[in-house]
C-alpha cells in the first residue's frame, strides 16, 4: 500500500466472506495533488468537499466481481460522495427495498441491487458478471466502512466536518459515529 491510503497505511476496507468495501485516496487526477491539503476545508465550497477533495478510487468487491470505480475513471471518485451513495444503499437494504440503484459520477455507469430473499444480486453497467451478496453482510460491511470513514474525518480533517456549506453531507454521515 502507498502512503495515500487514508487509514493506517492501508486501504480502508472491511472484508468478511465475499464482501469488500473501501476507498483509496489518491492525488486529484487533473490537479496532480491532494486538494484537501491545499484548501481551507472549513470554508470550502460544498462541491469541493463532495467531489474535489478526498478524490480516489472506490472499492466494492463481491466475491471476485469488482463494482467499485470503473477502470477508466480511477481516481475520479470523491470519498464523501462515495460515502453518501453507500448511505443511500444502506437505507434501501434496511427498508428491504426490492431494487436499489447506485449511479457513478460523471458518467452513465450504474450498479443495480435486486433483492431475492435475504440476498442481493448485483449487476453493473460496466461489468459482465453479476454477483450475489447476503443483504446482512453487505449491510454490515457498509455500516463498518461509514463508521470508520466519519471517525477518520473527525480525527484527520475536523475543519472539513465543521464546514457549514457541506452541513447536509456531514449530518448524514455523523449518524455513523456510533454503531
Amino acid at each position: 500500500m502507498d502512503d495515500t491510503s487514508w487509514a493506517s497505511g492501508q486501504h480502508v476496507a472491511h472484508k468478511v466472506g465475499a464482501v469488500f468495501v473501501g476507498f483509496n485516496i489518491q492525488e486529484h487526477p487533473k490537479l496532480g495533488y491532494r486538494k484537501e491539503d491545499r484548501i481551507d476545508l472549513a470554508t470550502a465550497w460544498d462541491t469541493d468537499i463532495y467531489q474535489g477533495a478526498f478524490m480516489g478510487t472506490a472499492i466494492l468487491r463481491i466475491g471476485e466481481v469488482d463494482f467499485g470505480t470503473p477502470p477508466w475513471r480511477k481516481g475520479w471518485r470523491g470519498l464523501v460522495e462515495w460515502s453518501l451513495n453507500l448511505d443511500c444503499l444502506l437505507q434501501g437494504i434496511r427498508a428491504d427495498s426490492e431494487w436499489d440503484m447506485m449511479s457513478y459520477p460523471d458518467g452513465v455507469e450504474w450498479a443495480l441491487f435486486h433483492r431475492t430473499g435475504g440476498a442481493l444480486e448485483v449487476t453493473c453497467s460496466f461489468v459482465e458478471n453479476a454477483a450475489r451478496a447476503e443483504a446482512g453482510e453487505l449491510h454490515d460491511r457498509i455500516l463498518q466502512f461509514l463508521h470508520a470513514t466519519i471517525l477518520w474525518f473527525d480525527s484527520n480533517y475536523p475543519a472539513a466536518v465543521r464546514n457549514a456549506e457541506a452541513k447536509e453531507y456531514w449530518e448524514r454521515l455523523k449518524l455513523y459515529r456510533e454503531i
Side-chain angles (χ1 to χ4, degrees):
M1 303 296 138
D2 61 30
D3 62 357
T4 61
S5 297
W6 60 265
S8 305
Q10 301 290 318
H11 286 281
V12 171
H14 300 281
K15 183 177 181 182
V16 174
V19 178
F20 187 84
V21 178
F23 194 90
N24 185 26
I25 290 181
Q26 300 159 278
E27 289 184 346
H28 190 285
K30 185 175 180 181
L31 301 175
Y33 58 81
R34 291 179 53 182
K35 194 171 187 178
E36 63 270 21
D37 294 335
R38 295 197 179 188
I39 63 173
D40 180 357
L41 292 169
T43 60
W45 293 98
D46 63 332
T47 53
D48 281 326
I49 300 294
Y50 185 73
Q51 193 181 53
F54 313 105
M55 296 292 285
T57 301
I59 303 163
L60 175 58
R61 198 169 304 124
I62 300 172
E64 298 300 316
V65 185
D66 184 2
F67 299 102
T69 303
W72 54 91
R73 298 212 189 276
K74 295 278 185 209
W76 283 103
R77 194 90 197 233
L79 174 57
V80 172
E81 173 255 349
W82 171 240
S83 298
L84 293 171
N85 281 348
L86 288 174
D87 170 59
C88 288
L89 178 57
L90 191 64
Q91 300 311 314
I93 293 170
R94 287 178 175 160
D96 289 331
S97 297
E98 183 179 356
W99 294 93
D100 283 296
M101 186 173 178
M102 183 168 53
S103 62
Y104 293 80
D106 300 329
V108 296
E109 295 90 7
W110 48 263
L112 188 63
F113 299 80
H114 178 242
R115 183 180 293 273
T116 54
L120 294 168
E121 183 172 318
V122 184
T123 55
C124 186
S125 60
F126 58 88
V127 176
E128 276 187 39
N129 300 324
R132 214 169 151 80
E134 291 302 317
E137 181 182 2
L138 183 58
H139 173 278
D140 291 350
R141 299 299 77 74
I142 292 171
L143 183 64
Q144 291 169 351
F145 175 82
L146 293 174
H147 174 71
T149 299
I150 192 60
L151 294 180
W152 179 80
F153 274 113
D154 286 344
S155 295
N156 296 285
Y157 291 94
V161 178
R162 290 189 309 268
N163 182 301
E165 287 284 320
K167 180 181 178 184
E168 182 180 319
Y169 307 149
W170 300 118
E171 291 299 318
R172 286 177 53 195
L173 296 176
K174 287 176 185 179
L175 299 174
Y176 296 102
R177 282 188 178 133
E178 305 296 325
I179 59 170

